[in-house]
Amino acid sequence: MAHQFTPVGGELGEILQKTFTNYFRTAYIKVDGCILPENYKQFADAIENFEVRDDDIWVCSYPKTGTTWTQEMVWSIANNLNFERAKIPLPERFPYLEFSPMFEKTEIIRRNPGIVIPEYAMDSPGYASKMPSPRFIKTHLPFHLLPRQLRTGEKKPKILYVVRNPKDTCISFYHHCKLVEGYNGTFEEFYTLFLGESDHYGPFWMNVLGYWKNRKEHNILWLTYEDMKQDLSAEILRTAIYLGNTLNKVQLSLLTEHLSFASMKANPAVNYEELIAKLHEMSQVKREGVFMRSGTTKQWKSFMTPELIERFDEWTEKHLKGTGLAL
């Protein structure tokens, strides 16, 4: 498939360029309608033609919807709760397919002579392609930008999709982008981009509904952040059944504790603290916050004005009408 690369124009494009660009991300483009760093062009063919395997396990999501939590749950179940091997950093054992396009490495290397960038960041599709089976792969790409073999059903790996209420997603993504993505704007500018479907990885509904519409044909396990918060043990068991694994009561208790927010936040293999510290050292940008910030639901009630909540609810209703999906 030949991708359509188009500029992000208009007032929203100006906000995006002003608040979301820096020395390691100089511009954004639309890739078949999805907002991604311009550097994606260099990796588009490698991702499109990525060799998928039937025994792969893919975790897909929009950013900040419970991805890391889901990854650790999936990996632990599929690896028989091998918590010793789980000490390997998550990006190494569960690589992020399009990680490399997220940062322009040339200027990072020029500013940091002698720096060693790991292969999972330097060439993420290449790193994932060489992993032994069964592979575990994460992506935030919308369904229509997934590798061709996966989209067409030529290969049929396990796919898990996790989604979260859009209001909480927006708030969590805002804090994440300030911490990691070099975002330097206000929350008002951020939600303007989010609602205007012009934020990093946007549009939100393009991502969510693309997987929702393909969930039956591609046997996608649909998870929600809210369900995991409400009854984590039940969602662990549902995931285990989907993956073809069984857990006894002791294993279920151990994994539930391993996946608790307190445990995840304190776990250096999954909390990205070391990676974020390195990013900030390289960029010499002041660090704001932590990767695992609150782990709560309905934070929008205290963070958003009633008027903004109403705007989000109307926007959500418009996009979900007739889809059968409720968030």
Side-chain angles (χ1 to χ4, degrees):
M1 180 179 77
H3 293 293
Q4 294 274 330
F5 300 116
T6 55
V8 186
E11 183 180 346
L12 291 172
E14 291 178 5
I15 296 174
L16 185 68
Q17 184 69 21
K18 181 186 76 170
T19 61
F20 246 125
T21 56
N22 43 60
Y23 83 85
F24 58 77
R25 186 175 296 155
T26 56
Y28 280 85
I29 54 172
K30 286 186 179 181
V31 184
D32 299 335
C34 179
I35 310 289
L36 291 167
E38 189 175 38
N39 196 39
Y40 189 85
K41 289 180 180 179
Q42 298 179 33
F43 294 88
D45 287 343
I47 292 172
E48 170 70 13
N49 299 311
F50 183 81
E51 289 284 337
V52 179
R53 302 174 195 164
D54 286 321
D55 61 355
D56 286 343
I57 299 176
W58 291 66
V59 166
C60 308
S61 67
Y62 193 83
K64 303 308 293 180
T65 55
T67 319
T68 301
W69 201 13
T70 304
Q71 286 177 267
E72 187 68 1
M73 174 176 68
V74 166
W75 191 93
S76 298
I77 292 169
N79 285 274
N80 299 310
L81 277 61
N82 189 336
F83 295 136
E84 188 60 35
R85 278 194 64 214
K87 292 178 181 177
I88 297 170
L90 192 60
E92 293 183 31
R93 53 190 164 91
F94 210 133
Y96 175 12
L97 181 66
E98 70 275 16
F99 189 14
S100 295
M102 295 301 111
F103 299 92
E104 171 51 59
K105 313 300 185 300
T106 305
E107 186 63 13
I108 292 176
I109 293 170
R110 190 189 72 78
R111 292 186 180 209
N112 300 272
I115 188 175
V116 177
I117 299 177
E119 186 182 4
Y120 67 74
M122 198 70 186
D123 179 15
S124 50
Y127 177 85
S129 70
K130 292 183 287 190
M131 292 185 73
S133 291
R135 298 180 304 186
F136 300 83
I137 300 173
K138 156 195 163 180
T139 182
H140 293 312
L141 293 173
F143 188 88
H144 69 276
L145 290 182
L146 292 176
R148 176 186 52 79
Q149 291 180 332
L150 201 160
R151 285 195 322 269
T152 61
E154 179 182 338
K155 297 295 177 66
K156 297 185 179 296
K158 297 282 189 184
I159 304 173
L160 302 93
Y161 187 80
V162 59
V163 67
R164 187 181 191 181
N165 175 281
K167 295 192 286 289
D168 277 341
T169 299
C170 180
I171 294 167
S172 185
F173 198 23
Y174 163 68
H175 287 289
H176 170 85
C177 288
K178 286 176 64 179
L179 175 66
V180 177
E181 309 292 347
Y183 179 74
N184 58 39
T186 64
F187 180 60
E188 182 178 4
E189 289 169 316
F190 191 88
Y191 73 65
T192 298
L193 290 173
F194 194 89
L195 288 169
E197 304 183 341
S198 296
D199 60 308
H200 179 39
Y201 271 115
F204 175 79
W205 293 115
M206 174 188 284
N207 195 300
V208 173
L209 293 176
Y211 286 93
W212 178 253
K213 291 170 183 174
N214 283 281
R215 71 194 186 283
K216 293 180 181 177
E217 182 180 352
H218 289 266
N219 189 29
I220 298 171
L221 181 66
W222 193 265
L223 299 165
T224 76
Y225 186 91
E226 289 76 17
D227 285 345
M228 292 173 69
K229 287 296 294 185
Q230 183 174 348
D231 193 341
L232 180 57
S233 295
E235 295 305 290
I236 290 172
L237 289 175
R238 196 162 72 89
T239 301
I241 292 169
Y242 175 74
L243 296 175
N245 294 71
T246 56
L247 297 174
N248 60 38
K249 289 183 179 180
V250 173
Q251 290 173 316
L252 178 60
S253 178
L254 286 171
L255 184 52
T256 301
E257 173 56 32
H258 179 72
L259 295 173
S260 69
F261 181 76
S263 178
M264 292 280 289
K265 188 177 177 68
N267 183 350
V270 299
N271 65 17
Y272 287 94
E273 289 299 297
E274 185 176 336
L275 176 61
I276 292 168
K278 195 69 178 176
L279 286 172
H280 283 263
E281 179 187 334
M282 290 187 297
S283 63
Q284 297 179 345
V285 173
K286 183 180 178 182
R287 180 174 178 171
E288 293 186 42
V290 293
F291 182 80
M292 292 188 180
R293 192 177 54 87
S294 68
T296 59
T297 59
K298 299 183 179 179
Q299 56 185 312
W300 50 268
K301 287 188 173 182
S302 59
F303 199 88
M304 292 183 172
T305 64
E307 293 77 18
L308 182 57
I309 291 170
E310 185 177 1
R311 282 181 62 188
F312 261 88
D313 289 345
E314 290 174 353
W315 178 70
T316 298
E317 184 180 358
K318 180 183 76 173
H319 282 281
L320 293 188
K321 187 176 181 179
T323 66
L325 175 62
L327 285 180

